[in-house]
Amino acid sequence: MKAKLPTQCPSCENLLSVSQLLCEHCSTTVQGNYPLPIFLKLSPKEQEFILQFFLASGSLKEMAAQLGVSYPTVRNQLDDMIQHIKDLNI
């Protein structure tokens, strides 16, 4: 199993930031303090929702059918995620 990039501090659970990048080809290292992309700030469940939304061609109706839940349930999940992303982006 491939290791996943940790996004939360194991001690306090706050979001981590990227401090070093490495080119595997030439071993160049870039250091700094870079925020995580918004997608990585989302929970694994939210990331999965976005992937399913994409694979369903943006159809909430299709997602609801695939997940076996009602359209309003999927719509509410999307609305919650939109608000979460707006809150993260401030």
Side-chain angles (χ1 to χ4, degrees), residues 5-86:
L5 176 69
T7 58
Q8 289 186 314
C9 173
S11 296
C12 69
E13 298 184 0
N14 280 312
L15 286 175
L16 296 170
S17 62
V18 177
S19 64
Q20 184 172 325
L21 299 168
L22 171 69
C23 175
E24 292 181 359
H25 177 73
C26 69
S27 298
T28 296
T29 300
V30 178
Q31 291 185 307
N33 188 14
Y34 308 100
L36 291 172
I38 287 180
F39 185 75
L40 292 177
K41 293 179 182 180
L42 300 176
S43 71
K45 183 178 177 182
E46 291 170 323
Q47 291 177 24
E48 182 62 28
F49 183 94
I50 290 173
L51 179 61
Q52 292 304 317
F53 182 72
F54 178 77
L55 293 173
S57 299
S59 170
L60 296 179
K61 184 177 177 181
E62 178 67 27
M63 281 184 66
Q66 289 176 358
L67 298 171
V69 297
S70 68
Y71 174 88
T73 298
V74 176
R75 180 72 232 185
N76 287 337
Q77 289 175 341
L78 179 61
D79 290 340
D80 290 346
M81 285 185 52
I82 290 169
Q83 187 57 53
H84 184 205
I85 290 169
K86 285 180 180 179

